[in-house]
Amino acid sequence: MSEGVSAQELYSAIEQTARLVDAPFSREKVWPILSAFEGGFSEDGGVVLSLQADEEVAEVEYSIQVSPGIEDPYAHALAHGLFKETDHPVRALLEQVVKLAPTSEHYIDCGIVGGFKKIYANFPHAPQKVAELAELPAMPRAVAGNLEFFARYGLEDVALVGADCKNRTVNLYFQLPPGIAGELEPQTVEDMLRETGMSEPSEEMLAYAGKAFRVYVTLSWDHAEILRISFSPQPRRSVDLAELPARLIPRIAEFMRATPHKYTGALINATAAKWSHEKEFLDLASYYQVSPLHLKAIEAQE
């Protein structure tokens, strides 16, 4: 990775995006995080801005790669007062994950309102088996408790593990195998939602979820069941907004067309159809920066 991205540059992009969608913005919420992690930013690291498709934008999140410049993002965040020390298993989780499957690629996930939230360990070259991750002492027992569900639907290879330090939850991002990725039947998606007790899906969201190349779940140490499940198609350039399973208000449509970005060519977007036990919703994302490896994968789909 090369060097060269300043905290001020990222701050400006985040602020511009927040103004674009008329979201609440405060320097005091954003600058301390960016200045604390500035040593980990580079020209080659991924930076993604995201929000929910809704009538009002209450939050804009930003995910930024912070390594290999910062070796231990959790300790770094702790040292800079971004959250308090805890003896909760979330404290040890990523350390155990990286010991099992060494990686030098970490991301932080934050919100312009909610502040510092998550840390991710990414495995771009060698996804990890969920059955092995389930055996880690700090992993929620809900992972082991849902292994049969994961296996039944081809959810075995984990490309990304996220530890939510604020809400004390875990995200597992499953890479769907060839032959399944992008080809999920609506009935399969509906079966997965029904089995996990999610809210009733609309036909439009079911059809869109079938395009997923990744499926990710949210679990916690306090519940045996899966809390949320999401279906994400491959990121791509110039998403046709008419194909989305939701009508976007003008400023969110503008987010999908005009968010600032540093790479050449059209804006790269990502989407995810999501369900909780209470509701379904659509997540939207725009890339400010994209790594060469990720860009190569995106261009291979074009």
Side-chain angles (χ1 to χ4, degrees), residues 21-130:
V21 298
D22 196 26
F25 187 83
S26 167
R27 180 179 176 87
E28 288 69 29
K29 289 282 189 178
V30 177
W31 181 250
I33 298 171
L34 296 179
S35 60
F37 278 90
E38 185 164 21
F41 305 145
S42 86
E43 295 284 357
D44 292 341
V47 180
V48 185
L49 302 158
S50 61
L51 48 76
Q52 284 187 20
D54 210 337
E55 291 300 313
E56 294 186 7
V57 181
E59 177 73 291
V60 174
E61 295 188 326
Y62 53 97
S63 300
I64 307 175
Q65 186 173 339
V66 296
S67 63
I70 294 174
E71 190 172 317
D72 186 342
Y74 188 100
H76 196 82
L78 194 64
H80 284 80
L82 299 179
F83 55 85
K84 296 180 179 180
E85 180 63 283
T86 177
D87 58 0
H88 190 274
V90 71
R91 173 66 175 92
L93 180 61
L94 286 183
E95 182 179 354
Q96 293 179 11
V97 168
V98 173
K99 186 175 181 180
L100 172 70
T103 180
S104 62
E105 194 164 309
H106 292 89
Y107 289 77
I108 57 170
D109 187 77
C110 315
I112 63 171
V113 174
F116 191 92
K117 298 179 181 181
K118 303 174 187 175
I119 301 171
Y120 294 99
N122 189 34
F123 308 101
H125 303 289
Q128 302 304 302
K129 296 299 181 183
V130 67

